[in-house]
Amino acid sequence: MLTRIDHIGIACFDLDKTVEFYRATYGFEVFHSEVNEEQGVREAMLKINETSDGGASYLQLLEPTREDSAVGKWLAKNGEGVHHIAFGTADVDGDSEAIRGKGVRVLYDEPRTGSMGSRITFLHPKDCHGVLTELVTAAPPAAEEH
Ligand code: CMX
Ligand code: CO
C-alpha cells in the first residue's frame, strides 16, 4: 500500500547552487547527500516533514553525473524542473508487482538501491499520464549497537 509522498525529484544543473536556493529561500537544510553511480546522479535529500506511517517526505535534488543518464537526458531536453514523484510503501516488491499486473510498465525486474539504502523502482511515464513515478521502501532503521 502506498502511504505517503516519499519525495519529489527535481533535476538541476548545479546541485550546490540549487541546495543554496532551497536553504536561503525556505530554510530547508540537507538531511543527506550521496552519489548514486547506477542512477547517474549526485543528490541531496531535504527533509520536509515526518509522516504518520513512521516515514518522511523529502525533496530530492538531482544533478546528473553523466550526460547519458536519465536525469542528464531529461535536463538536456527540458531544462531544470520536476523530474519525478515518489510514493512510499512498506512493500515495493508487492506493490510494483500488483501495479505491473494492471498493465503499467515497471522499469526494473527487481527493485534497485536508492537514497539512504532504500529499495526503488520506477513506472514508465508514458503509462502514468506523463509522470515518471517511483516507488520507494525505506531502509529499515540501523540495528542498535550493543
Ligand atoms: N517525466 C516524464 N516523461 C519523461 C521523463 C520524465 N522524467 N523522462 C522521459 N520522459 C518521456 C520523454 O519526454 C519521451 O517522450 P516523447 O517520446 O513523447 O518525447 C519518452 O519519455 C522517452 O524519453 P527518452 O528521453 O527517450 O528517455 P528514455 O526512454 O531513454 O528514458 C525513462 C526514459 C523513464 C525510461 C528513464 O528516464 C528512466 O529509466 N528513468 C528511471 C530512472 C531515473 O529516472 N533515475 C534518476 C532518479 C534516481 C532517483 O530518484 O533516485
Ligand atoms: Co527519486
Side-chain angles (χ1 to χ4, degrees), residues 6-83:
D6 186 276
H7 62 269
I8 297 170
I10 297 172
C12 62
F13 290 113
D14 185 321
L15 185 63
D16 297 338
K17 281 188 184 159
T18 308
V19 162
E20 177 53 21
F21 170 81
Y22 279 91
R23 193 200 61 73
T25 309
Y26 309 114
F28 297 148
E29 301 287 347
V30 175
F31 179 77
H32 173 85
S33 59
E34 69 183 81
V35 173
N36 185 327
E37 285 296 355
E38 184 179 37
Q39 293 294 335
V41 294
R42 192 161 83 91
E43 61 168 88
M45 297 293 272
L46 315 181
K47 191 189 253 189
I48 307 303
N49 60 278
E50 309 278 342
T51 57
S52 58
D53 62 1
S57 295
Y58 304 87
L59 294 183
Q60 181 185 40
L61 306 180
L62 299 157
E63 179 193 283
T65 58
R66 46 178 199 271
E67 285 179 8
D68 66 349
S69 62
V71 174
K73 284 175 64 177
W74 189 87
L75 269 172
K77 186 172 168 186
N78 303 285
E80 296 184 316
V82 174
H83 178 257

